[in-house]
Amino acid sequence: MAEVAGEVVPWRRRMLTAAAMVLAAALVAVATLLLLKLNDANADEDSRQSALQVARQVAVDLTTVSKDTAQQDVTRLMGVATGSFKDQFAQQADVFRKVVQQASVTSKGTVAEAGVSSVDGDTVTVLAAVSATVQNADAPNGEQRQYRMKMQLHHEGDRWLVSDLEFVP
């Protein structure tokens, strides 16, 4: 019996050691998968925040214009445009610049609120509520205006660019 008992104990130890090694490997695999998912989630959140930051800046740039800097304002907006927004804005850029200059417009915009409403791969949709104080020939003391914008941003290279922009009621 002592021999049988002697043979049984090493077999049990080997089984327990093997089971512990399998369990440890499984735990390492699960921990690795969770860490990878966490890294992906952090990267997604960083990407969303980058797109949101660009959208906020575009909203400010679009509502902060001056008769003295109209051409620079147009150039700045064209620098963050792509797709249909770039095409539409390019067609209207001269008219935009001339209206701002001829009406002696000075506008200073601020974003009250902005948030990501959807994400689809490399495309993010952002909604923004913007306030602007607009001075012009008709309102030399300035008028407060409120805008709501829906922007679609597309990730190109290492940048987020506005591919569509609309003012919403």
Side-chain angles (χ1 to χ4, degrees):
M1 282 278 214
E3 283 184 294
V4 172
E7 290 177 15
V8 171
V9 172
W11 178 81
R12 284 186 182 162
R13 281 189 186 147
R14 282 188 229 138
M15 288 300 289
L16 287 173
T17 301
M21 290 172 58
V22 168
L23 181 61
L27 288 174
V28 168
V30 167
T32 301
L33 287 173
L34 290 174
L35 185 59
L36 289 172
K37 285 187 180 267
L38 180 61
N39 284 342
D40 285 347
N42 287 342
D44 288 348
E45 183 58 25
D46 289 348
S47 184
R48 288 169 60 102
Q49 290 303 315
S50 293
L52 182 59
Q53 182 179 7
V54 169
R56 291 177 72 90
Q57 187 61 53
V58 168
V60 168
D61 290 348
L62 193 60
T63 57
T64 302
V65 295
S66 168
K67 62 181 174 26
D68 299 326
T69 61
Q71 185 56 53
Q72 294 95 322
D73 298 336
V74 166
T75 301
R76 184 176 59 244
L77 287 164
M78 287 298 295
V80 292
T82 191
S84 63
F85 177 64
K86 185 173 189 170
D87 295 341
Q88 291 171 4
F89 193 73
Q91 290 174 2
Q92 299 298 319
D94 284 338
V95 172
F96 177 83
R97 183 182 47 76
K98 287 176 185 175
V99 166
V100 167
Q101 289 172 333
Q102 289 172 354
S104 296
V105 174
T106 300
S107 177
K108 173 97 171 99
T110 58
V111 175
E113 292 291 333
V116 173
S117 69
S118 67
V119 178
D120 184 15
D122 285 343
T123 302
V124 173
T125 302
V126 173
L127 301 174
V130 182
S131 296
T133 303
V134 180
Q135 292 176 292
N136 58 33
D138 294 333
N141 295 326
E143 291 180 350
Q144 195 66 19
R145 301 210 179 139
Q146 308 298 319
Y147 306 99
R148 294 185 342 180
M149 299 177 195
K150 179 179 178 184
M151 286 180 253
Q152 199 166 60
L153 292 93
H154 187 73
H155 196 255
E156 294 183 9
D158 62 347
R159 304 175 42 184
W160 285 99
L161 301 173
V162 177
S163 59
D164 191 27
L165 185 144
E166 62 182 285
F167 289 89
V168 293

